[in-house]
Amino acid sequence: MTERRCMIDIDAPRLLKRIAGVDYLYFIQKNTLNRRERTLHIEVHNETFSNRVVVRECCNYTVHPENEDWTCFEQTASLDIKSFFGFESTAEKIAMKQYASSIKKGKEIIEYYLKELEEEGVTHIPRWTPLVVSGTGNPRLQLPPLSSARAIPMNSARDGLPSKDPACPTELLSGSPDDKLDADYIRRYLGDLTPLQESCLIRLRQWLQETHKGKIPKDQHVLRFLRARDFNLDKARELLCQSLTWRKQHQVDFLLDTWECPRLLQDYCTGRWHHHDRDGRPLYILLLGQMDTKGLVRALGEEVLLRQVLSINEEGLRRCEENTRVFGRPISCWTCLVDLEGLNMRHLWRPGIKALLRIIEVVEANYPETLGRLLILRAPRVFPVLWTLVSPLIDENTRKKFLVYAGNDYLGPGGLVDYIDEDIIPDFLGGKCMCDIPEGGTVPKSLYRAAEELESEENRLLTDSIYKSASIFKGAPYEMLIEITEASSVITWDFDVCKGDVIFNIYHSKRAPQPARKDTLGAHGITSLGAINAQLIDRSWVLGQDYSIVEKALSCREGESVQGSHITRWPGFYILQWRFHSSPACAASSLPRMDDVLASLQVSSHKCKIMYYTEVLASQDFRGSMTSLESCQSGFSQLSAATTSSSQSHASSVSR
């Protein structure tokens, strides 16, 4: 512990100094250094004019909770002016100016001495360790020898090359899961980030680890959503939450392993991956002008085409990771080259345009910031018509990455050679590299499917899904009515909390609530009231008389995925209710918890959103224990395999 008296020359008007009668200000500074805990605490308060002005400043240096090689610095200050010769406002402005300049100067001083140490070859300070000298009972503090300290390979890490220093393991550069916030990892796998951007990434990843129950996406994927929303944490989190729900709902994580491209699509889809551009980004080439989009839609349907597009995006993500390892620098997006040679009015077929717009909408929502550059070559006169239809659905940041070349403008300086090495420019574009892309052509009409067949086909990825969305407002819960005609039937549910916090309840009533619009599902009626949020539980009903609670209320936080089931004890009407939940203050303290404060700032204060699916199994379809509860229609049976039964007669289970 060190305590000292400091003298500071203030930058104040001369008149103010003469009135105050001082040329300098005196402060008391107290430093507390804890070598064992690796913390430094600095407290400063003023001695001069302490009866008129109270200035307090605290600086804390601590170890980062997720990376022990990082230092967290927190600086706070308070200014309380009681009276200052009638110059209270002026003194406050001067103090604020002085404080702001001190912050900047302090940062410059730290950077100056760090640079000096680096020039002297000091890249690591060994940690303090207590050492007991033999023959004495008193411990003597001693630093370990320099040979035991792990040196940081400055040049090798910066260049992305493996270190040859045996004291530095190569895992540091490979971005191991245990050291993912290492500076070298960020520089090599994520790119240059500002401190604010790094903070947003850490906070969003921590939120996912605490609330998301499914597969946690990689840092590169999380970073794409932050960039897509200009590092607005609230907006990025909402977009990412919706995308993760969509991926789980449609099993997109397994698409590359399960998707088998139809032979027809292999022969007539004129697109292939082809090496990489000058920046190391994977390059995808599409001969759109040679592809019969109308024939493919008529022969395969929108669902197949969308899955093909999704598989291309998933493959692009995989290739980005591979190129990151190969080139030793972050590759987070790819380049797409679209050749419009042959584009005509056939490509403006309305159903085809409609399918294209819907596919773009899905891709934009779930693969943001994956397109690094789009090179459009040999654009014909009909292109502006197509662009007018498509451009409104494309994000503004994505549109800025489009480069359009008409005719042969792509040849020569300023064209393809600026973005692609001459050695890999395809032969059909005037290059020397052979590119194995199908020639495409017109799909035979004999392969077309009947219009009725295409219309009746269930396109879950594009149209209605087994999951539905609902909004919950303050004072207007979302309620669903399920009519049970046979006791021991099983109600199952699966829902994701996309925004806000909710409370989930299940009620039973022998009376039919009003209003009720029934939509038969098997032997049971399930009613969804949609966005109007009409209340099924009448205000005049009395709990315990007109209706009863059959499940304990469940509090669900934003980002949670909840699956569960309830074995009904009586016939009648069951009401599933999702109610808005405001996080209460911490019960053990009169002050709110920091998590609750952050949550109230990051989500809307009046609206929650869920995506849900519910199903009823008749008693004869239920066999044995709750662990055998599966549904042939359920999209979450694999996610909720681990369920438990209640000891009550109306057993239930919930898994999150």
Side-chain angles (χ1 to χ4, degrees):
M1 297 180 63
T2 305
E3 190 168 352
R4 58 184 179 177
R5 189 167 180 254
C6 308
M7 182 178 67
I8 302 176
D9 183 13
I10 59 172
D11 182 17
R14 186 176 180 182
L15 177 61
L16 185 60
K17 289 184 178 181
R18 292 187 62 181
I19 293 176
V22 296
D23 290 325
Y24 302 96
L25 294 180
Y26 291 92
F27 281 80
I28 304 300
Q29 178 178 332
K30 183 178 180 181
N31 299 352
T32 305
L33 175 64
N34 189 326
R35 297 183 183 273
R36 187 182 303 276
E37 299 295 333
R38 299 173 63 198
T39 61
L40 173 62
H41 181 69
I42 303 175
E43 291 184 1
V44 180
H45 66 272
N46 63 306
E47 184 182 82
T48 307
F49 300 126
S50 58
N51 61 330
R52 297 178 179 273
V53 181
V54 179
V55 180
R56 294 188 180 276
E57 182 176 2
C58 294
C59 297
N60 286 308
Y61 296 82
T62 58
V63 179
H64 194 283
E66 292 189 16
N67 190 325
E68 61 180 12
D69 289 332
W70 278 20
T71 300
C72 291
F73 173 63
E74 182 181 8
Q75 184 175 12
T76 59
S78 63
L79 173 67
D80 184 12
I81 300 181
K82 300 175 182 179
S83 64
F84 201 78
F85 313 104
F87 290 89
E88 289 81 8
S89 178
T90 303
E92 183 177 344
K93 292 179 181 179
I94 293 174
M96 293 297 293
K97 180 181 177 182
Q98 187 80 16
Y99 183 67
S101 63
S102 297
I103 292 177
K104 183 178 180 181
K105 190 177 298 182
K107 180 181 177 182
E108 292 174 352
I109 291 173
I110 292 175
E111 292 177 345
Y112 172 80
Y113 281 107
L114 285 176
K115 187 175 180 181
E116 271 203 348
L117 288 173
E118 190 175 316
E119 291 176 352
E120 294 173 5
V122 180
T123 58
H124 184 268
I125 304 299
R127 297 178 186 173
W128 174 88
T129 55
L131 183 63
V132 178
V133 180
S134 60
T136 63
N138 297 326
R140 186 177 67 182
L141 306 184
Q142 181 176 331
L143 292 174
L146 290 177
S147 59
S148 64
R150 177 171 62 88
I152 300 177
M154 301 298 292
N155 296 331
S156 299
R158 186 177 295 110
D159 298 337
L161 299 176
S163 171
K164 295 183 179 180
D165 186 350
C168 179
T170 57
E171 284 77 5
L172 180 65
L173 296 179
S174 64
S176 60
D178 296 331
D179 200 16
K180 282 201 169 183
L181 288 180
D182 185 88
D184 296 322
Y185 166 83
I186 292 178
R187 182 164 48 248
R188 177 169 177 179
Y189 291 92
L190 302 180
D192 294 329
L193 300 176
T194 66
L196 178 61
Q197 292 171 346
E198 291 180 17
S199 175
C200 289
L201 174 61
I202 293 171
R203 290 167 62 191
L204 184 54
R205 194 182 73 167
Q206 185 177 5
W207 176 82
L208 286 171
Q209 293 172 342
E210 293 175 353
T211 61
H212 186 64
K213 304 304 178 183
K215 180 181 179 182
I216 301 297
K218 297 180 180 180
D219 291 342
Q220 294 90 333
H221 194 63
V222 175
L223 192 58
R224 291 186 180 100
F225 285 84
L226 285 168
R227 284 172 173 157
R229 292 298 178 263
D230 296 325
F231 287 87
N232 183 309
L233 191 60
D234 188 20
K235 293 181 179 179
R237 185 176 62 170
E238 182 176 358
L239 182 64
L240 179 58
C241 181
Q242 294 173 355
S243 179
L244 292 177
T245 301
W246 173 83
R247 294 183 70 89
K248 184 187 74 173
Q249 176 182 343
H250 302 294
Q251 302 292 297
V252 178
D253 289 331
F254 309 102
L255 189 61
L256 289 180
D257 298 326
T258 58
W259 169 244
E260 295 183 4
C261 183
R263 184 65 190 178
L264 176 64
L265 199 55
Q266 297 180 29
D267 294 338
Y268 291 93
C269 179
T270 54
R272 290 291 187 274
W273 290 100
H274 179 76
H275 300 285
H276 54 80
D277 66 4
R278 288 186 179 273
D279 296 323
R281 299 167 175 167
L283 175 64
Y284 187 83
I285 298 179
L286 176 64
L287 309 182
L288 184 58
Q290 305 300 321
M291 189 166 66
D292 183 9
T293 54
K294 178 179 180 179
L296 290 175
V297 173
R298 290 291 303 273
L300 297 172
E302 297 179 22
E303 174 81 359
V304 174
L305 293 181
L306 176 60
R307 289 193 177 275
Q308 173 66 8
V309 173
L310 295 182
S311 68
I312 293 173
N313 280 270
E314 291 295 311
E315 174 65 18
L317 295 177
R318 189 195 66 78
R319 287 175 177 262
C320 285
E321 293 182 8
E322 181 179 340
N323 285 16
T324 296
R325 291 190 294 268
V326 171
F327 293 102
R329 62 177 183 271
I331 307 293
S332 61
C333 52
W334 57 83
T335 296
C336 184
L337 189 155
V338 180
D339 184 11
L340 298 183
E341 177 75 16
L343 190 74
N344 53 45
M345 294 303 294
R346 181 180 176 85
H347 292 86
L348 300 181
W349 179 57
R350 187 171 183 81
I353 293 295
K354 181 181 177 182
L356 177 61
L357 296 179
R358 297 169 83 175
I359 290 174
I360 290 176
E361 188 175 2
V362 172
V363 172
E364 279 287 307
N366 298 283
Y367 297 93
E369 294 299 314
T370 53
L371 181 64
R373 185 179 295 115
L374 180 64
L375 304 172
I376 301 176
L377 309 184
R378 300 196 279 198
R381 293 182 178 180
V382 75
F383 173 73
V385 180
L386 179 62
W387 177 249
T388 302
L389 296 172
V390 172
S391 60
L393 284 181
I394 302 176
D395 181 74
E396 182 179 357
N397 291 334
T398 305
R399 289 201 300 267
K400 294 177 181 178
K401 303 171 184 177
F402 285 37
L403 296 174
V404 183
Y405 297 90
N408 294 325
D409 292 346
Y410 66 92
L411 299 174
L416 280 185
V417 291
D418 286 7
Y419 307 102
I420 304 174
D421 290 334
E422 293 186 24
D423 296 339
I424 61 175
I425 294 179
D427 53 346
F428 57 84
L429 293 176
K432 303 176 182 179
C433 185
M434 298 297 295
C435 187
D436 184 20
I437 298 180
E439 296 181 0
T442 304
V443 177
K445 292 186 177 181
S446 59
L447 300 178
Y448 284 11
R449 297 164 64 183
E452 295 78 8
E453 183 181 357
L454 290 174
E455 291 177 0
S456 62
E457 185 182 60
E458 183 181 22
N459 296 330
R460 291 182 177 177
L461 284 169
L462 291 168
T463 57
D464 294 335
S465 168
I466 59 174
Y467 284 72
K468 298 180 181 179
S469 62
S471 297
I472 300 103
F473 305 88
K474 277 188 176 180
Y478 183 83
E479 296 173 345
M480 168 179 285
L481 179 65
I482 300 178
E483 183 179 359
I484 299 297
T485 58
E486 182 182 11
S488 299
S489 297
V490 181
I491 302 174
T492 66
W493 60 83
D494 176 26
F495 64 90
D496 290 345
V497 185
C498 301
K499 184 177 182 181
D501 300 339
V502 300
I503 295 179
F504 178 65
N505 282 297
I506 302 180
Y507 301 96
H508 172 263
S509 174
K510 295 181 180 179
R511 298 169 51 184
Q514 297 293 333
R517 299 178 311 188
K518 295 185 178 181
D519 181 15
T520 303
L521 176 63
H524 310 279
I526 295 182
T527 302
S528 175
L529 297 179
I532 58 175
N533 283 15
Q535 304 304 293
L536 297 174
I537 300 177
D538 194 274
R539 293 182 180 273
S540 62
W541 283 13
V542 179
L543 184 63
Q545 296 181 9
D546 301 293
Y547 69 108
S548 60
I549 300 176
V550 297
E551 284 282 352
K552 183 180 178 181
L554 181 66
S555 297
C556 309
R557 303 297 295 268
E558 179 175 330
E560 287 187 346
S561 179
V562 182
Q563 300 87 34
S565 54
H566 172 80
I567 303 178
T568 61
R569 187 176 181 181
W570 313 279
F573 299 91
Y574 286 79
I575 301 172
L576 275 60
Q577 182 192 77
W578 291 268
R579 182 160 46 90
F580 184 95
H581 176 49
S582 299
S583 300
C586 182
S589 171
S590 60
L591 297 176
R593 295 185 301 126
M594 182 57 67
D595 291 344
D596 297 327
V597 174
L598 292 176
S600 65
L601 294 175
Q602 293 172 346
V603 301
S604 173
S605 60
H606 64 279
K607 180 181 178 181
C608 300
K609 187 176 181 180
I610 62 170
M611 289 190 66
Y612 70 93
Y613 170 77
T614 184
E615 186 178 10
V616 178
L617 296 179
S619 58
Q620 64 268 20
D621 297 331
F622 173 64
R623 304 183 184 92
S625 65
M626 293 300 295
T627 56
S628 67
L629 179 60
E630 293 184 357
S631 165
C632 60
Q633 298 181 9
S634 174
F636 64 89
S637 58
Q638 295 179 351
L639 299 175
S640 57
T643 55
T644 58
S645 60
S646 171
S647 59
Q648 302 177 359
S649 57
H650 54 289
S652 65
S653 73
V654 176
S655 63
R656 286 193 285 181

